[in-house]
Amino acid sequence: MKSSIHGDCDEDLYEVALRFRLLRQEGYTLPADVLNNFKNKEGKFKQNLREDIRGLMGLYEASQLSIGEDILEEAGNFSSLLLNACLQHLDRHQAAVVKNTLEHPHHKSWARFMTKNFLTDFQGTNGWINALQELAKIDFNMVKSVHQKEMLQISKWWKDLGLTEELKFARDQPLKWYIWPMAIIPDPRLSEQRIELTKPISLIYIIDDIFDVGGTLDELTLFTEAVNRWDLSAFKELPEYMKMCFKTLDDITNEISTKVHKEHKWNPVGSLRKAWASLCNAFLVEAKWFASGHVPKAEEYLKNGAVSSGVHVVLVHLFFLLGHGITKENVDLVDDFPGIISSTATILRLWDDLGSAKDENQDGHDGSYVECYLKEHRGSSVENARQIVAHMISDMWKRLNKECLSPNPISTSFTKGSLNIARMVPLMYSYDDQQCLPGLEEHMKSLLLENLPYRNAQKIDE
């Protein structure tokens, strides 16, 4: 492994940082001490590196793969400080590239959006690079057409389901829900898996709305008990919309289980039902807190909130829909909320709370980690609590990075799916003052409605 990182370019910061990042993001447990070559005798990064903007960008990108090493923490702080300082001295294009690196490092960003930006902004001068760029544009537009067809199928499925007619209070956003599978499973060949994964994701949102605004506490308790027993007859005393919701949940669970059993020779119905029961149990805990006015300890809130994020339900379904490495040991592992799932779920929960905790005037309906922290730590400011949450998100990313390293009993496609959820979280939870998602709306318009123009298509044909 040493020969793959060292060589003729071992004094080139960009080359070393890039090799380190590419190998580690593919799961190789590569030591971070390869960066020691760029430190002085005092153990600090050399000051002459401040002139190497490209190298500093590579160093910052590499630091995002940290699993807790001090040297990568130092690398991230060193490179971000110098890159921010140089912004005012760069021309507009260079400054935009550096700023984009700082705000959207590759490892923590959605690859398809990064691709769109690169193909739009990059202007090559080399003939073969230009040809590759044009091929990439063709591929991008072809994949876009696949996603458009999938969205039409999802829209038809959701409309035919008829849940919105019965659940007037619930969200009606099937295209937004489809964005999750679109990011989680980027392989254009896995169209059926994306469509199937959208279905449980849609029900996570619907059941969340039932617990937030739809049912009384008594009804929610009975609903949760019925899901735990998975007994349709237990819904007799409940409102019609709850019956309809559970019937839809039962149908989707059975349909997916049948498909998985047919394709992969394993019936996942027990695992799927268990995941749904855990989700409803967590929703009910939050409903009881709200009904009683109880504000839990921050740690208690977060432990339950990781489950109520719905990430476990999504990733259990993903595991079986992908069909890789389905063994009893792996099924037991995925069922038990392992680190690769809990770290992703915690990132989502904390990001969601940052988006909804704008100030001290919390409405308290869903609660948030910030609210619980402030209640527990009297005298702390909102800003201080938000900084703590940001630090916790950073730590969870390090844990997630470590979970993705080899050897790993879970397939690479599953670990990358977990990473893709974490990468999408900032986009899905960066609300503005009107509680809208302007960034998400702009990205979706760009990715799904706008073609990338071809510049040299005729030369490629030649």
Side-chain angles (χ1 to χ4, degrees):
M1 184 59 68
K2 185 176 180 181
S3 61
S4 68
I5 198 76
H6 292 286
D8 294 339
C9 298
D10 63 351
E11 293 303 321
D12 185 314
L13 177 59
Y14 178 77
E15 293 284 349
V16 172
L18 177 62
R19 291 177 185 181
F20 173 83
R21 175 171 69 85
L22 293 177
L23 287 167
R24 185 167 277 198
Q25 74 183 20
E26 291 304 314
Y28 293 98
T29 310
L30 194 70
D33 60 10
V34 295
L35 299 173
N36 280 329
N37 285 347
F38 304 96
K39 285 188 168 187
N40 58 27
K41 293 179 181 179
E42 287 74 39
K44 305 292 184 182
F45 280 101
K46 298 174 182 177
Q47 285 304 305
N48 64 348
L49 294 174
R50 66 175 62 245
E51 307 300 327
D52 185 3
I53 302 300
R54 186 167 176 255
L56 289 172
M57 289 169 60
L59 185 62
Y60 182 77
E61 293 277 13
S63 73
Q64 305 304 307
L65 277 294
S66 171
I67 58 174
E69 302 100 326
D70 290 341
I71 190 171
L72 289 180
E73 191 77 18
E74 295 169 28
N77 293 335
F78 175 78
S79 56
S80 63
L81 183 67
L82 291 180
L83 288 170
N84 275 299
C86 79
L87 284 173
Q88 58 186 324
H89 306 299
L90 301 174
D91 65 42
R92 188 171 63 177
H93 174 71
Q94 290 174 322
V97 172
V98 170
K99 187 176 180 183
N100 186 65
T101 295
L102 291 169
E103 294 179 353
H104 305 290
H106 281 88
H107 181 61
K108 295 181 179 177
S109 301
W110 184 19
R112 186 160 176 80
F113 180 62
M114 298 290 286
T115 302
K116 173 71 184 292
N117 282 347
F118 178 79
L119 292 175
T120 301
D121 298 338
F122 177 76
Q123 298 297 324
T125 56
N126 185 297
W128 69 267
I129 290 180
N130 283 339
L132 281 178
Q133 185 181 20
E134 294 306 303
L135 286 171
K137 288 181 179 180
I138 293 170
D139 175 75
F140 188 94
N141 290 335
M142 289 174 65
V143 173
K144 184 199 68 175
S145 68
V146 171
H147 290 150
Q148 288 174 335
K149 291 175 183 177
E150 291 170 0
M151 286 194 301
L152 289 174
Q153 289 180 259
I154 291 296
S155 295
K156 183 179 185 304
W157 167 80
W158 180 249
K159 183 179 179 181
D160 293 346
L161 205 57
L163 273 181
T164 51
E165 296 301 316
E166 193 66 39
L167 285 76
K168 300 290 186 184
F169 57 84
R171 281 167 282 190
D172 183 12
Q173 302 169 317
L175 298 187
K176 176 186 173 183
W177 303 334
Y178 164 75
I179 293 168
W180 283 111
M182 179 179 159
I184 295 168
I185 315 173
D187 189 335
R189 297 168 297 179
L190 301 181
S191 183
E192 182 180 357
Q193 286 84 344
R194 277 188 295 275
I195 291 170
E196 291 303 315
L197 190 59
T198 305
K199 297 174 182 179
I201 288 174
S202 68
L203 286 197
I204 292 171
Y205 280 92
I206 294 302
I207 295 173
D208 184 32
D209 287 341
I210 288 175
F211 276 83
D212 277 353
V213 296
T216 66
L217 187 57
D218 287 342
E219 290 170 344
L220 297 175
T221 301
L222 291 174
F223 181 91
T224 302
E225 290 173 353
V227 171
N228 274 271
R229 297 200 305 269
W230 211 269
D231 182 7
L232 193 58
S233 65
F235 282 81
K236 290 180 181 178
E237 305 302 319
L238 290 175
E240 194 61 35
Y241 75 87
M242 283 189 173
K243 296 178 185 176
M244 187 174 183
C245 179
F246 181 75
K247 177 65 166 60
T248 303
L249 177 59
D250 185 50
D251 288 345
I252 290 173
T253 300
N254 289 334
E255 288 169 10
I256 290 177
S257 296
T258 300
K259 288 183 179 181
V260 171
H261 186 252
K262 182 178 179 180
E263 293 178 20
H264 307 298
K265 306 298 184 288
W266 186 285
N267 188 347
V269 68
S271 295
L272 302 186
R273 289 177 177 180
K274 181 181 176 182
W276 284 112
S278 296
L279 178 67
C280 290
N281 291 337
F283 281 158
L284 184 61
V285 168
E286 293 175 347
K288 288 179 177 178
W289 285 340
F290 175 69
S292 66
H294 173 65
V295 179
K297 297 286 187 181
E299 185 178 349
E300 180 186 9
Y301 165 83
L302 188 57
K303 183 178 180 181
N304 188 76
V307 180
S308 70
S309 70
V311 168
H312 187 212
V313 171
V314 174
L315 287 176
V316 169
H317 281 81
L318 175 67
F319 174 75
F320 288 109
L321 286 169
L322 291 174
H324 302 148
I326 299 181
T327 64
K328 185 181 185 306
E329 292 75 20
N330 283 348
V331 169
D332 289 343
L333 179 66
V334 171
D335 282 350
D336 289 338
F337 207 58
I340 193 166
I341 296 179
S342 62
S343 52
T344 304
T346 304
I347 289 169
L348 188 150
R349 172 53 62 216
L350 290 172
W351 252 105
D352 186 13
D353 289 353
L354 279 182
S356 61
K358 299 289 185 184
D359 52 46
E360 290 176 303
N361 298 317
Q362 299 282 338
D363 62 20
H365 189 72
D366 289 323
S368 76
Y369 186 87
V370 171
E371 179 188 6
C372 297
Y373 182 89
L374 292 174
K375 179 78 179 291
E376 194 174 337
H377 298 83
R378 300 289 185 180
S380 247
S381 67
V382 172
E383 186 56 35
N384 180 57
R386 290 173 67 83
Q387 288 175 359
I388 287 170
V389 169
H391 182 73
M392 293 171 68
I393 291 172
S394 177
D395 283 347
M396 281 297 117
W397 261 106
K398 292 169 187 173
R399 182 183 173 196
L400 179 57
N401 288 341
K402 189 172 185 178
E403 292 288 341
C404 292
L405 293 177
S406 300
N408 197 321
I410 306 296
S411 70
T412 301
S413 55
F414 180 85
T415 59
K416 289 188 174 181
S418 299
L419 282 167
N420 285 335
I421 291 179
R423 288 164 176 154
M424 275 298 288
V425 163
L427 201 58
M428 299 296 279
Y429 291 96
S430 295
Y431 293 96
D432 62 15
D433 292 336
Q434 286 73 48
Q435 289 297 296
C436 295
L437 293 166
L440 177 64
E441 292 166 9
E442 183 62 31
H443 293 336
M444 291 306 100
K445 178 183 176 183
S446 172
L447 291 174
L448 296 171
L449 299 178
E450 299 172 1
N451 270 329
L452 283 172
Y454 304 130
R455 184 178 56 183
N456 298 321
Q458 73 280 2
K459 293 183 180 180
I460 293 175
D461 289 338
E462 295 171 3

